[in-house]
Amino acid sequence: MTYFILQILPYISVAVLTIGLLYRLGRWASGRIVHNITLTPAPTTQTGAVVDIAAEAILFKSLFKADKTLWTGSWIMHMSLFAILGGHVMGIGLLGLQFYYIGLTSAETSEYLSNLLGTSMGIVVLLGLLYLLYRRMAINEVKMISAPSDYLHLLMLIAIITAGNLMRFVPEWGIHYEPVRDYVAHLLTFSAVTPEMEVMHKPVFVIHLLLVQVLMMYLPFSKLLHIPGMFAHRWIINRPYVEPAPGMPGVTVGGSGHNVSGGHSASGEVQ
Amino acid sequence: MPLTETGLKQPVKANEKDLLKINMPVIPDDQKVEVALKHLNELGEKFRSLMLTFESCVKCGACAENCHTYLGTRDPYNIPANRADLLRKVYKRYFTPEGKFFPGLIGAKDLELEDLEKMYSYFYQCNECRRCSLVCPFGLDTCEATMAGRQLLHWLGMVPKLHASVGAAMAKTGNHTGLPKAATVDTCEFLEEDIMDEIGVDIKIPVDKPADILYIPSSADFMLNPNTMTGAAKFFHYLGVNWTISSEIVEAGNFGLLFDQRATLRANCMRVIDEALKLGIKKVVWGECGHGWRAGKMYLPGMLDRPGRIPIVHIHDEVAYYIEKGALKLNPDSITRPVTLHDPCNFGRACNMCDTLRKVMNASVSNFVEMTPNRERNFCCGGGSAILFDDPEMYDLRIKFSAKKAEQVRATGVDKDGEGILCAPCSICKAQLYPMVEEHKLGVEVKGLIDLVGLSLYPVKHD
């Protein structure tokens, strides 16, 4: 079983995630943007629109204006989750020496900082998730519109994070960066995982990895599609819009009609 | 027929005869589900915005407390995410892998006749104001779900009598009230006399005259809001514009946007540019109508069957432009009553007009008080998307939908002495707010923005 989870399932889960996402994105792309449903006030340039979308993606601007409590919980949850994903790349890829490589600290301090960040973010994201779960059960409106899967997504993430945190806090359940790097290298080079490798003997690591792979496989078939969906939808409603030229023909002050004859489109168009 | 057997509140449906007038066959009940699924698939595949709204919602519920229909009724189905779910559940069940295999888990369900009745009830309780889209972390447009739902219901022959008859009147006479040309000309002459009596200036309202500017008034301006029509006439006259209205399109509104975004929306759009072409028009100026201007500004360019080369602008934008150019000598001191502004949803969230409204307002009156929230965060009047139904149950809902609006107006304090003005530059807002102001006992008079411009441009002399 461990062998299946570590050696075979990763290829399956990555394939399902990739093909599933391509299937979903392809479906979206085959739909048209039929009408101009730009939400105003809209920026007048493409750059302005990109800045707007970035502010939404990074700062959750709309949510901040609408619901401060939810914003606090969800922003903290998403940002720490994002930091953790980055931390996995740094920790496993660079063995936690990232701060040393960019010349900020000594090698020991870098590893210490890496561990400290990973541990603290693990706690923060767990708190964020617990808040979201509490909110879903405590606020009547949210409870009314929730389907069973809405709870399951949260519970799944909580389980993954808990397994990860256990590896941080219980040394004998944990695993160092090096063996994991070796394991990932084996996967990437399509070489066989051998029984004596340390990853084969760390049950919590195996559970952690299993849960992550299950999540990867159902991501394209769940509301977790909101990750690409947000960009795809904001691309439709957060667009630049240029107002048509004002001024009426025959009026001597200001508009003498020159603006009018120059207006080629019946409506605003992006320059 | 407000209450169905299931206890749903529904507007009166158009009958077979009404539907034939807008070229819609009635689908028998036993075929409705099958036909609905076919069309739902087509709609989902066609509109990317709709598919994204179906597939990306995380049910965070941020929209609930930001929807005035939910705030006013506390009906769970008036939570925007839940309203869209009426359609989303079905869409997921039939057209997504997760819904096909795990319907119970993700909350998908089979379509039944009963669900269609429920959709008819709740999609016509949505004002299509898009405040939910504004507050959604992903900007998901629940209005798209409502629009798709109404389109679907229209294709099944489930349309409110109000919308169907307005659609039929539009096709026949070119306006929503069924006003024939003779009546339009008569009303214009009557309004000209009115202006003469009021300010002693000879201002004409030309009908069907070849001109530079085609003004598209709302037909309600000929009955309910005559001051909006005369205000526009005063503005054009002051600048010496060669303008006209067309008896073929005395209608700024376009109900196609609200129940049928194919045939009806397109026919009404084409009517505008056909008339503009016939009269040798150089520029079309739209009147005070929220959804109509959204259709004219945002939807029309994409709906035409040939290139639209004649620019289309809104009268408020033109007024603001000439105020900036110093071409209009307004007398804000002539309007000293406290005024507050209701930003129509379509102007604020769909047509980028918040600044314009304020430019015009500040130049026209001397005591302007902002409402909170305002601009694009404003709440709908409760009549949005023309759910101006008169049957008692639906009327009762309209009062509840406008509870938030009443609260906002009270908070400005303009109604204290009973002398206030509630400026609502949109025909549907006006039609909703005239009775609502009475129901909520607000001491304000509802007026359009162009009404105020007209009054400020040619102050009435009190001897």
Side-chain angles (χ1 to χ4, degrees):
Chain A
M1 188 64 194
T2 308
Y3 179 76
F4 175 75
I5 295 168
L6 262 55
Q7 178 76 76
I8 301 178
L9 194 58
Y11 298 116
I12 299 175
S13 57
V14 169
V16 172
L17 176 71
T18 315
I19 295 167
L21 272 181
L22 285 176
Y23 161 70
R24 273 349 249 254
L25 294 178
R27 260 165 64 106
W28 293 350
S30 69
R32 289 188 284 140
I33 302 175
V34 182
H35 300 299
N36 182 349
I37 56 166
T38 303
L39 207 53
T40 63
T44 48
T45 60
Q46 199 63 258
T47 322
V50 171
V51 169
D52 277 4
I53 296 176
E56 293 290 352
I58 300 167
L59 303 172
F60 298 9
K61 198 172 85 183
S62 287
L63 191 58
F64 181 75
K65 287 186 187 163
D67 187 338
K68 300 274 191 294
T69 338
L70 174 58
W71 178 85
T72 313
S74 74
W75 191 80
I76 289 178
M77 192 285 272
H78 282 88
M79 286 307 132
S80 50
L81 189 62
F82 191 69
I84 287 171
L85 287 174
H88 275 70
V89 176
M90 291 300 165
I92 297 167
L94 304 173
L95 302 177
L97 296 175
Q98 59 273 24
F99 302 113
Y100 168 64
Y101 288 143
I102 58 168
L104 272 182
T105 60
S106 67
E108 293 75 35
T109 321
S110 179
E111 206 176 339
Y112 170 75
L113 275 178
S114 183
N115 284 331
L116 184 70
L117 271 175
T119 313
S120 40
M121 284 299 162
I123 297 168
V124 173
V125 73
L126 188 61
L127 292 177
L129 285 166
L130 288 173
Y131 163 71
L132 291 181
L133 185 62
Y134 161 77
R135 184 179 175 278
R136 200 165 278 286
M137 295 188 292
I139 297 182
N140 201 24
E141 283 82 12
V142 192
K143 194 175 171 180
M144 280 190 291
I145 60 175
S146 297
S149 60
D150 295 322
Y151 296 98
L152 282 179
H153 292 305
L154 286 170
L155 292 174
M156 184 67 169
L157 278 170
I158 288 172
I160 292 173
I161 300 289
T162 308
N165 284 351
L166 282 175
M167 284 155 67
R168 283 276 181 198
F169 286 109
V170 186
E172 56 267 34
W173 289 351
I175 188 163
H176 285 290
Y177 293 141
E178 290 89 343
V180 183
R181 185 165 74 163
D182 288 347
Y183 164 63
V184 173
H186 270 76
L187 282 184
L188 290 179
T189 54
F190 297 98
S191 35
V193 177
T194 51
E196 75 279 0
M197 285 175 75
E198 198 180 335
V199 285
M200 297 289 283
H201 308 286
K202 295 286 182 183
V204 184
F205 173 80
V206 175
I207 289 172
H208 182 68
L209 191 63
L210 172 67
L211 293 177
V212 169
Q213 296 186 75
V214 172
L215 182 125
M216 281 164 68
M217 286 189 286
Y218 75 64
L219 190 143
F221 308 100
S222 71
K223 69 169 189 177
L224 299 182
L225 276 174
H226 72 272
I227 306 160
M230 178 197 148
F231 292 97
H233 201 267
R234 291 226 169 261
W235 172 249
I236 303 175
I237 65 156
N238 293 62
R239 300 201 142 204
Y241 188 90
V242 177
E243 295 293 324
M248 292 183 286
V251 178
T252 42
V253 189
S256 55
H258 63 279
N259 283 331
V260 175
S261 52
H264 292 296
S265 77
S267 178
E269 61 183 25
V270 181
Q271 283 150 353
Chain B
M1 185 212 62
L3 280 168
T4 62
E5 304 87 73
T6 44
L8 289 170
K9 290 176 182 171
Q10 292 184 333
V12 181
K13 283 191 195 115
N15 59 32
E16 207 163 330
K17 215 171 120 209
D18 299 325
L19 284 165
L20 267 179
K21 285 187 194 153
I22 49 171
N23 310 315
M24 276 313 294
V26 178
I27 310 292
D29 277 357
D30 58 339
Q31 293 168 27
K32 272 196 172 110
V33 168
E34 193 191 334
V35 176
L37 287 175
K38 185 170 164 284
H39 293 323
L40 179 58
N41 191 27
E42 286 164 3
L43 286 167
E45 280 179 350
K46 180 178 175 186
F47 290 89
R48 192 189 297 173
S49 53
L50 182 64
M51 198 190 274
L52 282 166
T53 301
F54 283 154
E55 298 185 358
S56 302
C57 176
V58 296
K59 315 280 173 64
C60 71
C63 45
E65 294 293 328
N66 283 291
C67 174
H68 63 288
T69 69
Y70 179 65
L71 291 177
T73 59
R74 294 286 162 187
D75 183 331
Y77 286 103
N78 277 332
I79 298 173
N82 221 18
R83 189 193 326 264
D85 241 27
L86 290 171
L87 212 49
R88 177 162 33 221
K89 279 177 196 284
V90 179
Y91 173 85
K92 283 197 164 169
R93 176 71 185 89
Y94 294 95
F95 309 116
T96 67
E98 61 268 31
K100 276 177 194 157
F101 298 116
F102 307 102
L105 185 69
I106 62 155
K109 87 178 278 305
D110 290 329
L111 180 63
E112 290 162 68
L113 204 54
E114 205 178 299
D115 298 314
L116 290 170
E117 294 293 338
K118 212 168 178 177
M119 286 179 200
Y120 179 70
S121 169
Y122 287 101
F123 286 141
Y124 281 99
Q125 288 185 45
C126 171
N127 285 126
E128 300 189 341
C129 80
R130 295 173 93 213
R131 204 170 188 276
C132 45
S133 179
L134 185 79
V135 300
C136 174
F138 319 126
L140 297 182
D141 208 336
T142 307
C143 177
E144 291 291 293
T146 296
M147 284 174 168
R150 288 185 180 190
Q151 180 78 75
L152 189 69
L153 294 169
H154 170 61
W155 284 337
L156 297 175
M158 297 164 80
V159 189
K161 203 176 177 66
L162 172 70
H163 290 66
S165 55
V166 161
M170 187 69 193
K172 196 170 164 216
T173 59
N175 61 71
H176 292 172
T177 39
L179 216 60
K181 178 170 179 179
T184 309
V185 175
D186 264 9
T187 315
C188 287
E189 279 166 11
F190 175 75
L191 291 175
E192 286 165 3
E193 282 167 27
D194 236 24
I195 300 175
M196 189 52 132
D197 291 348
E198 191 188 26
I199 54 169
V201 184
D202 184 20
I203 294 177
K204 292 279 172 255
I205 303 179
V207 182
D208 292 336
K209 182 188 96 173
D212 292 338
I213 297 292
L214 171 63
Y215 178 62
I216 312 274
S218 165
S219 59
D221 296 356
F222 285 79
M223 331 203 140
L224 278 172
N225 333 304
N227 291 329
T228 308
M229 189 60 230
T230 55
K234 287 174 191 169
F235 166 68
F236 289 127
H237 176 81
Y238 187 98
L239 287 177
V241 177
N242 179 16
W243 72 293
T244 186
I245 60 171
S246 160
S247 61
E248 285 295 309
I249 174 90
V250 193
E251 188 53 75
N254 187 342
F255 271 36
L257 183 78
L258 311 175
F259 76 94
D260 174 23
Q261 297 197 348
R262 288 274 181 94
T264 312
L265 181 63
R266 169 166 284 129
N268 296 355
C269 287
M270 289 304 293
R271 206 178 247 271
V272 175
I273 66 157
D274 284 351
E275 274 311 295
L277 212 63
K278 209 192 284 174
L279 297 171
I281 297 301
K282 295 192 182 122
K283 194 169 196 177
V284 175
V285 175
W286 217 271
E288 278 190 2
C289 174
H291 83 277
W293 179 228
R294 184 181 182 198
K297 179 175 185 168
M298 299 306 214
Y299 285 65
L300 182 141
M303 292 304 287
L304 299 181
D305 294 336
R306 58 175 182 269
R309 299 206 183 95
I310 302 165
I312 303 179
V313 290
H314 197 275
I315 190 163
H316 294 153
D317 287 323
E318 289 298 338
V319 174
Y321 175 70
Y322 286 106
I323 287 172
E324 272 186 352
K325 289 280 168 195
L328 295 181
K329 202 174 155 293
L330 291 153
N331 303 280
D333 293 333
S334 65
I335 306 174
T336 51
R337 293 163 65 185
V339 186
T340 188
L341 172 67
H342 160 69
D343 290 82
C345 313
N346 284 301
F347 285 176
R349 284 183 283 273
C351 293
N352 214 4
M353 215 196 266
C354 300
D355 289 334
T356 304
L357 296 179
R358 276 154 188 82
K359 256 180 233 162
V360 177
M361 181 63 96
N362 282 319
S364 307
V365 306
S366 53
N367 188 2
F368 170 46
V369 189
E370 282 278 11
M371 216 179 251
T372 328
N374 53 34
R375 293 178 174 255
E376 73 275 10
R377 305 199 80 78
N378 191 28
F379 281 99
C380 170
C381 61
S385 79
I387 53 170
L388 303 165
F389 306 114
D390 282 337
D391 23 321
E393 278 76 10
M394 296 310 286
Y395 183 78
D396 175 57
L397 279 177
R398 281 169 61 194
I399 302 172
K400 286 178 176 154
F401 292 168
S402 63
K404 189 73 198 175
K405 181 63 29 198
E407 190 187 311
Q408 279 179 285
V409 174
R410 263 198 201 99
T412 62
V414 297
D415 68 319
K416 266 198 308 258
D417 308 326
E419 273 295 288
I421 295 175
L422 171 56
C423 175
C426 158
S427 288
I428 287 180
C429 296
K430 285 174 204 160
Q432 161 81 355
L433 290 171
Y434 287 141
M436 291 313 112
V437 159
E438 305 291 318
E439 299 285 350
H440 291 288
K441 299 189 174 55
L442 298 169
V444 291
E445 187 191 349
V446 179
K447 275 183 183 296
L449 187 54
I450 293 300
D451 310 27
L452 298 174
V453 172
L455 286 172
S456 190
L457 210 49
Y458 293 96
V460 183
K461 294 190 180 58
H462 299 284
D463 307 312

